[in-house]
Amino acid sequence: MKNKIAFLICFILIYVSSFSQSISSSPYSLYGLGSLYDADYGSIPSIGSSGIALPSETFINNLNPASLGNFPLNHFMFEVGGKAIGTAFQSSSKTEKRNNFQFSHIAFAFPVTKKAAFSIALRPYSSASFKISDLKLPISNTSEYYTLNAEGSGGLNNFDFSYGYRISKKLSIGLSGSVLFGNITDERSYTISNSITSINKKTDYSGLRTTLGTQYKIDSTFTIASTFKLPAQIKASKIQSVANISNSNESTIESDAASDTDDYYMPLEIGFGISKRFKNNLTMTLDYEKSLWNDTNQSELYGDFVNQDRFALGFSFRKNKDIRSYWDRVQFGTGLNFDTGYLEVDGKRVNNTAISLGVSLPVDNTFSVLNISYSYGQKGKIGEGLIKENYHKLSLNLSLDGIWFVKRKID
């Protein structure tokens, strides 16, 4: 029965991943490359998206490539994930609700030697899906306003290759190379007095980014770790059409004109994490990440990029008393996450706070696990030019673990 449930869920996730694009209904996806996507693997969503110091012993850890240095020999791991998100958007005048399903990730990992492993993964990096109607904005150095209508969709994908190597019993290092690619379609109209200017454009992006990682075991229960995501330049080019309507006369200024546009710059991101196990059944994970967006020297028409801080705390518990008992092998998790955000609109930060809990259910007598997690969060706030988002998120990650080149002794 459990096998049937697992295969059914796997089919549903693959079905969703085949027909769903990277969707973010957030109005904040208007900025930059859209809203950045939290495609966390395994049980990471249930522990507040923390886990930089966790090894890849039972799941693929996408937060730190050095985790692959502790990948089990003769094992092959495959994982697919999806999310269901319900969001309520609140402004000072109205509330709107939206629901969507999203493909999260697909990943493979396998050992190369006793001390090294390799992984390949595909996931969304960012997503944009916004619609803004009749937004009044001030004209600089005047007392007049103009009206903005905007609609956009698209986003970037992340195809990454990771390698981890265990230098000694205590120290592991890792390297990830990510290929970022995708496009965003943006349609905007600006109304000033009796003049309407419409701009329709499609912007294509592509670039490479490197991540370095380390993990160091102080002892068998305590691990410290760090990650360094290096700055990157994402190349951009656009195809744009511009038209103007004034006094009932329409004129075309540009029609499908191809040109280069401002490149997008990814910041240096530094992360630190610890993992501590207590009495062999309770594990605490604590992460801190700093993203230096100020150093990219880029801004948006409606906001600015600012340095970002992220804090994540998680706890996981498993009895581990009797491995023959199914419920003794079930893992429970809970966590907190706070993110100051990298956007500042009219001098106000767009921060995010979330709590989470989840469960990891073994699939029969195999090493495979179904990870189910729920999180509730708030992003932004009401008033002062911002919109508050209240969201409920259900994540399903199916981790399949197979053993290679080992004969079964007992069927």
Side-chain angles (χ1 to χ4, degrees):
M1 182 61 182
K2 293 173 186 173
N3 274 331
K4 293 181 179 179
I5 294 174
F7 283 116
L8 177 61
I9 293 173
C10 184
F11 175 79
I12 293 172
L13 290 175
I14 294 174
Y15 180 87
V16 170
S17 69
S18 300
F19 289 91
S20 297
Q21 300 297 317
S22 172
I23 301 171
S24 171
S25 299
S26 173
Y28 297 113
S29 65
L30 168 73
Y31 298 90
L33 300 178
S35 298
L36 302 187
Y37 200 86
D38 58 339
D40 295 326
Y41 302 177
S43 61
I44 289 177
S46 67
I47 53 175
S49 295
S50 62
I52 291 177
L54 291 177
S56 288
E57 294 177 339
T58 58
F59 74 103
I60 305 171
N61 184 353
N62 64 299
L63 299 182
N64 190 346
S67 65
L68 292 168
N70 290 284
F71 198 87
L73 188 64
N74 296 325
H75 285 245
F76 172 85
M77 293 186 188
F78 166 77
E79 182 166 317
V80 61
K83 301 176 186 291
I85 304 175
T87 309
F89 303 94
Q90 292 178 284
S91 67
S92 55
S93 59
K94 65 177 181 179
T95 299
E96 181 178 340
K97 294 183 178 180
R98 297 178 190 173
N99 301 310
N100 59 65
F101 297 90
Q102 303 178 358
F103 162 62
S104 175
H105 62 277
I106 183 170
F108 305 85
F110 50 89
V112 180
T113 67
K114 292 181 179 180
K115 297 181 178 181
F118 186 76
S119 71
I120 305 172
L122 176 64
R123 62 182 176 86
Y125 174 78
S126 68
S127 55
S129 180
F130 57 87
K131 185 174 183 179
I132 298 174
S133 301
D134 299 327
L135 177 63
K136 289 188 176 181
L137 296 168
I139 301 174
S140 299
N141 302 319
T142 71
S143 59
E144 297 182 358
Y145 288 79
Y146 67 92
T147 302
L148 168 68
N149 289 278
E151 186 171 357
S153 62
L156 268 66
N157 298 299
N158 185 345
F159 187 45
D160 67 61
F161 304 84
S162 298
Y163 175 80
Y165 179 76
R166 189 172 73 254
I167 296 177
S168 65
K169 290 183 179 180
K170 292 189 174 185
L171 178 63
S172 297
I173 60 174
L175 172 69
S176 287
S178 299
V179 180
L180 300 172
F181 62 95
N183 60 72
I184 295 177
T185 301
D186 192 335
E187 301 178 5
R188 304 189 187 191
S189 66
Y190 304 86
T191 303
I192 303 176
S193 298
N194 295 322
S195 177
I196 301 175
T197 300
S198 62
I199 302 175
N200 299 330
K201 66 178 179 179
K202 179 182 178 183
T203 307
D204 292 294
Y205 296 94
S206 62
L208 301 174
R209 197 181 192 194
T210 302
T211 300
L212 307 175
T214 63
Q215 286 187 345
Y216 184 79
K217 291 184 178 181
I218 304 296
D219 57 39
S220 60
T221 65
F222 187 34
T223 302
I224 60 174
S226 63
T227 56
F228 301 88
K229 295 181 181 178
L230 302 184
Q233 182 177 2
I234 309 300
K235 295 289 185 179
S237 61
K238 67 180 179 181
I239 297 177
Q240 179 172 280
S241 296
V242 181
N244 178 264
I245 301 176
S246 180
N247 298 323
S248 300
N249 295 319
E250 182 174 354
S251 60
T252 301
I253 301 173
E254 286 183 341
S255 179
D256 293 332
S259 65
D260 292 330
T261 187
D262 291 339
D263 295 334
Y264 191 82
Y265 294 88
M266 305 299 301
L268 171 66
E269 298 183 61
I270 304 172
F272 300 97
I274 64 172
S275 172
K276 175 64 178 177
R277 189 174 72 250
F278 302 93
K279 295 184 178 180
N280 294 322
N281 53 21
L282 177 66
T283 301
M284 181 195 75
T285 49
L286 177 64
D287 291 357
Y288 168 73
E289 291 182 283
K290 181 80 172 183
S291 301
L292 303 178
W293 286 95
N294 281 348
D295 293 343
T296 64
N297 295 317
Q298 56 189 350
S299 62
E300 285 281 334
L301 180 61
Y302 315 111
D304 298 299
F305 292 94
V306 292
N307 288 344
Q308 177 185 22
D309 298 285
R310 189 182 76 88
F311 304 87
L313 173 66
F315 295 91
S316 58
F317 174 80
R318 177 185 291 152
K319 284 185 177 182
N320 277 337
K321 290 183 177 180
D322 184 358
I323 60 173
R324 292 172 296 180
S325 170
Y326 181 82
W327 289 106
D328 280 0
R329 293 185 291 122
V330 172
Q331 177 176 294
F332 302 90
T334 186
L336 300 169
N337 188 294
F338 176 73
D339 182 352
T340 63
Y342 61 94
L343 288 175
E344 193 171 80
V345 181
D346 289 334
K348 307 298 186 300
R349 285 291 189 106
V350 183
N351 55 36
N352 180 78
T353 304
I355 59 173
S356 60
L357 54 89
V359 61
S360 299
L361 302 173
V363 180
D364 276 355
N365 294 317
T366 68
F367 294 101
S368 301
V369 177
L370 173 63
N371 299 285
I372 305 173
S373 67
Y374 163 80
S375 61
Y376 169 75
Q378 294 183 349
K379 183 177 181 179
K381 61 181 180 179
I382 299 175
E384 298 181 329
L386 300 181
I387 294 174
K388 184 178 181 180
E389 300 180 14
N390 295 286
Y391 59 86
H392 301 268
K393 184 187 303 181
L394 180 66
S395 300
L396 294 179
N397 293 338
L398 181 60
S399 301
L400 300 177
D401 187 346
I403 299 179
W404 290 4
F405 312 120
V406 176
K407 286 186 176 181
R408 283 177 175 258
K409 293 184 179 180
I410 300 176
D411 288 326

